[in-house]
Amino acid sequence: MATPKVDKLTPTDPRVQHCTYKIPASGKTYHYLLAEPATPQPPPPSATILLIHGFPDLSFGWRYQVPRLLALNLRVVVPDLVGFGRSDAPPDLAAYSFKAVVDDLVALVRHVQQQQQAESEGEKFFVGGHDWGGAVAWRFALWRPDLLRGVFSVCTPFWPPSEVFLSREEMVKRLPNFGYQLQFGRTEVEDAVVGRDRIRALLSVMYGARREDGEPVFDVLSGFKLDKLEVGKIGESPLMSKEELDFYADEFVKNGMRGPLCWYKTAKINFDEERKLLQEGRTRVRVPALMVVATRDRALPPPMSAGMDKHFDNLVMREVDATHWALWEKPAETNQHIDEFLRGILKEQPLKASI
C-alpha cells in the first residue's frame, strides 16, 4: 500500500512567520516559527501549541506536523532551541538546563499570546517535544503544570527527577544505547566538525545517510568515527530532500556544533535544579499526556518507555514503526496519534472566551 502523502512546510513556506524574541529575564534571543490558522472570518485559534525539537534538529523539524495542527485551528509556536539555528548559543551551560529553557519558553509563549491579543494572559497551552525537546516537554509538565492543557513526546520517554546523581560513565553502564553521549559530552565532535560542508555531512549521517562504501560512520554505542566523516563520500539522507538538507546546513553554520552539543553537558546542573522538584514532591505528571514510541529507535528504544504510566495521572501510549526520526519517516501515523490526543482534550476542555 502506498504511503499517504502528508502536507509539509518548505524552508520558505508562506504559512509561517520567522520571528525573534529576546527573553527579558535571561537575555537570550530565540528565533521561532509562528503559524496562525488561515481563517478569513475567525473564530480565534482554539489554543496555542508549543513544539520543541531535539538534536540535531531545528524548528523546521516539525515541518510535517505544523500544517496538521493548523487544520485543528491551533496557533503553532516552534522555536529553535537555545544553541541551535538562529537562536543564541551562550557559553554558560546553565543557559541550557531544562529549568532555564522552560522559563524561557514560558516567556516566549506569553509574548506570542499577548502580541496576537487572541487569548487571555493566563490561557493554558499545549506542549509537544521530540528528542531533547521531549525531555523539555516532560520537565515543562513538572515545573509549570499550571500552564498546560496537555503534553506529548515523540520518542523521548519520561524519567522522574533522580535522588542520586549519575555521571555520564555510570549512566552508559546502565544504558549502553547512550554510549554516544560520552563522545558528545567532550569537545572532539565540535572541534572536528567545522564549516558548512562538514556539518552537512554530519547531519546527513544523523538523518540516515551512509558512506558510499558502506562503512558505518555513527553508532549509538560509541558515537562518530570522525575519520570516516569525509565530505564527498557521504550519500544523501533518505529522509530529506537536498533543498531541506542544504537549509539545515546553512542554519547550523551560525552556531556550529558547539551550541547544540551543550545539551549533553548539563546533567549535573539539571540534577541540582531538580532537587527542588523532589523536595516539593513534584515528580508526577498531572496533566493529560501522550507518549509516541518509535519501535526502531536505537537511541531511545521502546523498553525505556516501559512502566512510564506509574508516573502519570493520565497517560496515553501509542507507537509507530519508525526510527528515531518518526516525525519525518512516519508523519501520517505520528500526526494521527497527536491529532486524536489533542482533539480529545479540545473537546473536553473548550477554550474559554477572553473577556
Side-chain angles (χ1 to χ4, degrees):
M1 185 171 65
T3 302
K5 187 174 182 179
V6 178
D7 185 17
K8 64 175 176 175
L9 302 178
T10 66
T12 57
D13 204 295
R15 290 174 289 184
V16 298
Q17 304 172 52
H18 289 262
C19 309
T20 58
Y21 180 58
K22 185 173 182 178
I23 310 298
S26 70
K28 287 175 272 183
T29 296
Y30 280 77
H31 165 259
Y32 64 97
L33 304 180
L34 174 62
E36 294 279 346
T39 50
Q41 299 288 331
S46 56
T48 295
I49 184 166
L50 171 71
L51 301 176
I52 314 172
H53 70 81
F55 177 91
D57 207 350
L58 298 165
S59 50
F60 191 60
W62 292 94
R63 59 192 173 277
Y64 284 96
Q65 285 67 52
V66 171
R68 181 69 170 264
L69 296 168
L70 289 174
L72 284 178
N73 197 39
L74 294 172
R75 172 185 298 114
V76 189
V77 182
V78 200
D80 287 343
L81 279 177
V82 61
F84 291 83
R86 304 181 200 181
S87 291
D88 284 350
D92 183 4
L93 289 179
Y96 300 79
S97 78
F98 295 145
K99 177 63 166 59
V101 172
V102 166
D103 288 344
D104 288 344
L105 296 182
V106 168
L108 175 61
V109 172
R110 287 302 187 227
H111 165 72
V112 171
Q113 291 178 324
Q114 290 162 12
Q115 288 288 106
Q116 300 303 314
Q117 298 180 341
E119 294 165 274
S120 64
E121 185 176 346
E123 194 61 63
K124 294 184 178 183
F125 51 92
F126 295 104
V127 171
H130 171 255
D131 190 77
W132 278 120
V136 174
W138 292 137
R139 265 24 192 188
F140 218 118
L142 297 185
W143 286 112
R144 296 305 307 267
D146 57 305
L147 300 181
L148 299 187
R149 301 182 73 182
V151 60
F152 69 87
S153 172
V154 179
C155 294
T156 311
F158 174 84
W159 59 88
S162 176
E163 296 183 358
V164 179
F165 177 70
L166 294 179
S167 67
R168 279 194 296 269
E169 291 74 16
E170 292 170 318
M171 178 184 65
V172 170
K173 287 180 182 177
R174 299 187 182 194
L175 296 169
N177 50 293
F178 280 0
Y180 67 94
Q181 295 195 16
L182 294 176
Q183 183 189 54
F184 286 11
R186 302 188 292 265
T187 64
E188 58 197 69
V189 174
E190 61 201 71
D191 292 342
V193 183
V194 177
R196 183 187 183 280
D197 291 344
R198 287 277 282 173
I199 289 173
R200 191 183 191 281
L202 179 145
L203 295 173
S204 297
V205 168
M206 292 299 285
Y207 307 150
R210 299 177 179 273
R211 273 179 61 101
E212 293 174 349
D213 60 11
E215 283 194 72
V217 181
F218 175 82
D219 188 272
V220 296
L221 300 179
S222 56
F224 281 100
K225 294 181 179 179
L226 292 169
D227 61 324
K228 303 296 182 185
L229 189 67
E230 299 176 89
V231 174
K233 294 188 178 182
I234 306 296
E236 292 295 324
S237 165
L239 299 174
M240 275 194 180
S241 68
K242 181 180 182 299
E243 176 193 29
E244 290 167 344
L245 192 53
D246 286 343
F247 173 75
Y248 266 70
D250 291 340
E251 295 292 290
F252 265 82
V253 164
K254 178 193 172 194
N255 292 322
M257 299 311 299
R258 181 195 63 80
L261 288 170
C262 283
W263 283 80
Y264 293 89
K265 303 171 185 178
T266 59
K268 185 60 166 61
I269 297 169
N270 287 325
F271 171 79
D272 288 341
E273 290 182 344
E274 290 178 4
R275 287 179 178 175
K276 182 176 181 180
L277 293 175
L278 284 167
Q279 291 166 358
E280 297 178 358
R282 297 161 61 188
T283 61
R284 187 175 181 84
V285 176
R286 304 289 185 181
V287 300
L290 167 69
M291 172 69 202
V292 181
V293 177
T295 59
R296 293 182 283 112
D297 191 335
R298 293 183 300 150
L300 298 166
M304 289 186 65
S305 302
M308 270 179 53
D309 57 306
K310 65 186 177 184
H311 302 295
F312 290 75
D313 283 0
N314 181 3
L315 175 66
V316 176
M317 294 286 292
R318 296 289 183 263
E319 65 178 37
V320 291
D321 179 20
T323 68
H324 185 66
W325 300 106
L327 294 176
W328 317 337
E329 187 179 356
K330 291 295 177 71
E333 294 91 332
T334 303
N335 287 357
Q336 184 63 31
H337 294 319
I338 295 170
D339 185 290
E340 291 174 355
F341 172 69
L342 297 175
R343 282 181 185 275
I345 297 174
L346 289 168
K347 183 177 179 181
E348 294 173 5
Q349 305 173 22
L351 187 69
K352 297 178 181 178
S354 300
I355 299 175

